[in-house]
Amino acid sequence: MPGPSPGLRRALLGLWAALGLGLFDLSAVSQEPFWADLQPRVAFVERGGSLWLNCSTNCPRPERGGLETSLRRNGTQRGLRWLARQLVDIREPETQPVCFFRCARRTLQARGLIRTFREFWVASRVLHYFPSLPGTALWVPGSSPSGPTLCVPTPSPGFQVLAFQGPRTLPLAERPDRVELVQLPSWQPVGENFTLSCRVPGAGPRASLTLTLLRGAQELIRRSFAGEPPRARGAVLTATVLARREDHGANFSCRAELDLRPHGLGLFENSSAPRELRTFSLSPDPPRLAAPRFLEVGSERPVSCALDRLFPASEARVYLALGDQNLSPDVTLDGDALVATATATASAEQEGARQLVCNVTLGGENRETRENVTIYSFPAPLLTLSEPSISEGQMVTVTCAAGAQALVTLEGVPAAVPGQPVQLQLNATENDDRRSFFCNATLDVDGETLIKNRSSELRVLYAPRLDDSDCPRSWTWPEGPEQTLRCEARGNPEPSVHCARSDGGAVLALGLLGPVTRALSGTYRCKAANDQGEAVKDVTLTVEYAPALDSVGCPERITWVEGTEASLSCVAHGFPPPDVSCVRSGDLGAVLEGLLIVAPEHAGTYRCEATNARGSAAKNVIITVEYGPRFEEPSCPSNWTWVEGSGRLFSCEVDGKPQPSVECVGSGGTTEGVLLPLAPPDPSPRAPSIPSDLAPGTYICNATNRHGSAAKTVIVSSECERGPAPPEMDESTCPSHQTWLEGAEAAALACAARGRPSPGVRCSREGTPWPEQQLVSREDAGTYHCVATNAHGTDSRTVTVGVEYRPVVAELAASPPGGVRPGGNFTLTCRAEAWPPAQISWRAPPGALNIGLSSNNSTLSVAGAMGSHGGEYECAATNAHGRHARRITVRVAGPWLWVAVGGAAGGAALLAAGAGLAFYVQSTACKKGEYNVQEAESSGEAVCLNGAGGGAGGAAGAEGGPEAAGGAAESPAEGEVFAIQLTSA
């Protein structure tokens, strides 16, 4: 028959609780200002059940609180003024838990009551038996609601309750409330057997019982007791189990099952409290002890003890001691190994031989190792200086001493016997400053020699020294990066160093990191001083910086006037002094240097670059050459025919810079004073109107700008407009000889044709079309064939093109190359490339006499070389397109003893006469302006005409190169050097 419903059970238990209130004080919560409360205050729990209790207070900040009870606790939750705790496996018949809090120096308390009950089944009735209330039982109606409530005496062992209704009786069945697992060993060695024993007293009938031994949730053994007598109660189950490593920490338990389902009841189960098994494994080897053999009094040394193959290593206990001093080690685990480390400190009371003990205990077993440690006392030696700081030149005494048993050594000199000191005397010098003295002491301990030493430093006072290694006489720094200027002086005490300009100007910040500027360049006087004296030294600071090209030294735009002398000079700032060169853009070989006679081809953009060891700077300089007006036949023809009704105006374009203004006025006859309308250079809306008629005749065209004017006579004729005509070319429209300039911008041949409609003209060279190029080269010279074509025919013409180019001195050489004796002869040869051919001129050193020139000035010769012939010679080549020069240096060296032999007076007279003759010839020739080279050949006049005279040749005299160590050296623009050595016989 099914049991009572849970709701009915709770109602009856509440009624039973009300009956027990008379036995327990259920007064209300204290009316004090602060109180403690326990909920529930009264609880009835089935035996073996669990319950949550809540303990609280109204104290704002309780000092501490808790719940006192003898029952087992499973979990706790806590707040500032409350505590909740779960009680489990409640088996005591009656307990009184106490809730308490400490508040304002008072203890607040609240008590509760917990009672347990058990259930019994009699036939189809259930009795609730309360052990704490003897002589009572409560019958819960089951399937017969009309049955009476029956109170019976308290059941005793062997007591039987018979059913009052039904055809048969059933003995009392007791649930397996007590399931006990016998206590396990505190530690169980791995690999050995242990016994599990389970007891279930009083439960029955035994024939309905089944017991199971469990490892966690794994069943180890299961046994039922079917066939036992009906009145048999209780059961025992025992098993032998092999301990394993994985069993460490495992829970073993016993489960009891009472199966009363065959009797119309249910299956009742209960389990014992789990018991934890701890297994262990300990290596038979002793621990490994690492410790020093010797330990000095007052010192600390690390010691360690290690052991492998122990399980579980975390449960092992290590004892590490030096003598009777426990070292309290720190234990580090690594798998199945442990290492215990500690610091051993030796005291004077422990001096002598002591034992270091390491003991490892696990599972009731232990392993131990002992080592001998000798504790000794060995004070450090004493090193003293009679004067730790002494002036240079004074005497100082050094003493080294130690204990009675120690042998001392000072600077390698040992004492005669242990315990005796050693002394050293010396006269202090600068080299002894910061000298370290070493005192060593040795002591024999247990067969080992121990060593201690001590050092002391001597300070010697001396005046400052400024060495070049610490304070160099010159510094060279680049501008920009931060540098630290160091000028350090030796001396004791440490000298102070001050560096300032000699004129009392700038002061150098020694030892500080700062930027380097060119303003720091100069000479400074550095003075080092201390109380022993001072030292003075002059130092030079040079700041190098990259070149800079500004608008003052190198303007961006320069304007020259044709025919004047000018030179492109760009001055760059920098140190070391920069080298500046200017090259025409697009023509890498065209270097512009020296004094020039300005020509229009000098106009253009030049790239000027300044370079030194610290970098370079570049700048574009635009040179504009201005010149007066020039008429050219193709652009302003001398004869022009105006075709009536053609709508064309006379075009007269004039070359000049700035652009000249042009005006054509009639001269004589019907055109006197009549202006000839001109076609504008560029078509524009403001072009003059086309006249309906135009007076033929002679017109004078005048072109004017600020540099002058030019005039040209133009004859104008007129004719009526004619019909179509084939092409026609002649010398006026397509000159047969045309000249170009090398390096100029390439243009089409000046070839045009007359005809109607206007013919197209194409020119080619040997069948090759006109090349597309930007600059004229010498290879462009040759014969071209031009063909004019329109719808009515063709005409052709052959044109010869010549290319002119600037002069270049291609060769400047000295002969003989092997050397010339004093009084011997030498020749300088100059070869130039130019078109039209260049004129050669020479510049000789001042005072050079008896110089001969060839007919075309290409060779300069000297017969009987003298000291005055030494110096720089320049050969210059000039044509209409420019000038180029190269230089060669001749040095006359040797023992001119013959001058001395002639006597001082005779020599002086000879030199004076030669100088006078040279001056007279030079001056007269220069004044006359004579340039007849053939007449001047083999005379001093050639020097004046070609070396000291005016014009382009003389202007180049400003250029010059450095002289070589001896002989002759050429200094061309490209930097080539040739030398000739003149030696004595």
Side-chain angles (χ1 to χ4, degrees), residues 44 74 76 100 131 166 214 271 323 371 376 378 458 460 524 555 586 617 673 938:
F44 293 91
N74 184 39
T76 302
F100 69 92
L214 303 169
S271 298
E371 294 284 350
Y376 66 95
F378 184 17
L458 175 64
V460 178
Y524 296 81
S938 303

Coordinates of all heavy atoms in Angstrom, one line a residue, residues 44 74 76 100 131 166 214 271 323 371 376 378 458 460 524 555 586 617 673 938:
F44 N 12.3 19.5 12.8 CA 12.3 18.0 12.9 C 12.8 17.5 11.5 O 12.3 17.8 10.5 CB 10.9 17.5 13.1 CG 10.3 18.0 14.5 CD1 9.6 19.2 14.6 CD2 10.5 17.2 15.6 CE1 9.2 19.6 15.9 CE2 10.1 17.6 16.8 CZ 9.4 18.7 17.0
N74 N 28.4 21.1 5.8 CA 28.8 20.8 4.4 C 29.1 22.1 3.7 O 30.1 22.1 2.9 CB 27.7 20.1 3.7 CG 28.1 19.7 2.3 OD1 29.2 19.3 2.1 ND2 27.2 19.8 1.3
T76 N 28.9 26.8 3.7 CA 28.7 28.0 4.5 C 28.6 29.1 3.5 O 29.4 29.2 2.6 CB 29.8 28.2 5.5 OG1 29.9 27.1 6.4 CG2 29.5 29.5 6.3
F100 N 25.5 33.2 17.4 CA 26.0 34.3 18.3 C 26.7 35.3 17.4 O 27.2 35.0 16.3 CB 27.0 33.7 19.3 CG 28.3 33.2 18.7 CD1 29.4 34.1 18.6 CD2 28.4 31.9 18.3 CE1 30.6 33.6 18.1 CE2 29.6 31.5 17.7 CZ 30.7 32.4 17.7
P131 N 13.0 8.9 19.0 CA 13.8 8.4 20.1 C 13.9 9.4 21.2 O 14.1 9.0 22.4 CB 15.2 8.2 19.5 CG 15.0 8.0 18.0 CD 13.8 8.9 17.7
G166 N -6.4 -6.8 8.5 CA -5.7 -7.6 7.5 C -5.7 -9.1 7.8 O -5.8 -9.5 9.0
L214 N 32.3 0.5 -2.9 CA 32.5 1.4 -4.1 C 33.8 2.1 -3.9 O 34.2 2.5 -2.8 CB 31.4 2.4 -4.2 CG 30.0 1.9 -4.3 CD1 29.0 3.1 -4.1 CD2 29.8 1.3 -5.7
S271 N 23.8 5.0 2.1 CA 25.3 4.8 1.9 C 26.0 5.3 3.1 O 25.6 6.2 3.8 CB 25.8 5.5 0.6 OG 25.1 5.0 -0.6
G323 N 73.2 21.4 13.3 CA 73.3 21.1 14.8 C 71.9 21.0 15.3 O 71.1 20.3 14.9
E371 N 75.7 15.5 6.9 CA 77.0 16.0 6.4 C 77.6 16.8 7.5 O 77.0 17.5 8.3 CB 76.8 16.8 5.2 CG 76.2 16.1 4.0 CD 77.3 15.3 3.3 OE1 78.5 15.4 3.7 OE2 76.9 14.5 2.4
Y376 N 84.0 28.2 11.5 CA 85.3 28.8 11.9 C 85.1 30.3 12.0 O 84.2 30.9 11.4 CB 86.4 28.5 10.9 CG 86.2 29.1 9.5 CD1 86.8 30.3 9.2 CD2 85.4 28.4 8.6 CE1 86.6 30.8 7.9 CE2 85.2 29.0 7.3 CZ 85.8 30.2 7.0 OH 85.6 30.8 5.8
F378 N 87.3 33.8 11.2 CA 88.5 34.4 10.4 C 88.2 35.8 10.1 O 87.7 36.1 9.0 CB 88.7 33.5 9.1 CG 89.9 33.9 8.4 CD1 90.9 34.7 8.9 CD2 90.0 33.6 7.0 CE1 92.1 35.0 8.2 CE2 91.1 33.9 6.3 CZ 92.2 34.7 6.9
L458 N 95.5 55.2 -1.8 CA 96.2 56.4 -1.3 C 95.9 57.6 -2.3 O 95.9 57.4 -3.5 CB 97.7 56.1 -1.4 CG 98.7 57.3 -1.0 CD1 98.4 57.8 0.4 CD2 100.1 56.9 -1.3
V460 N 97.2 61.2 -3.5 CA 98.3 62.1 -3.5 C 97.9 63.5 -4.1 O 97.3 63.5 -5.2 CB 99.5 61.5 -4.3 CG1 100.7 62.5 -4.3 CG2 99.9 60.2 -3.7
Y524 N 91.0 79.4 -27.9 CA 90.6 79.5 -26.6 C 91.8 79.2 -25.6 O 92.7 78.4 -25.9 CB 89.5 78.5 -26.2 CG 88.2 78.8 -27.0 CD1 88.1 78.3 -28.3 CD2 87.2 79.5 -26.5 CE1 86.9 78.5 -29.0 CE2 86.0 79.7 -27.2 CZ 85.9 79.2 -28.5 OH 84.7 79.5 -29.2
P555 N 74.1 85.2 -57.3 CA 72.7 85.5 -57.6 C 72.1 84.5 -58.6 O 72.8 83.9 -59.4 CB 72.9 86.9 -58.2 CG 74.3 87.0 -58.7 CD 75.1 86.2 -57.8
G586 N 72.9 70.9 -69.7 CA 72.8 70.1 -71.0 C 74.1 70.0 -71.7 O 74.1 69.3 -72.7
A617 N 76.7 72.0 -52.4 CA 75.5 72.8 -52.6 C 75.5 73.1 -54.1 O 76.5 73.4 -54.7 CB 75.5 74.0 -51.7
G673 N 58.6 109.6 -96.2 CA 57.8 109.8 -94.9 C 56.7 108.9 -94.7 O 56.0 109.0 -93.7
S938 N 111.8 85.4 -81.1 CA 113.1 85.4 -80.5 C 113.4 86.7 -79.7 O 114.6 87.1 -79.6 CB 114.2 85.1 -81.5 OG 113.9 83.9 -82.1

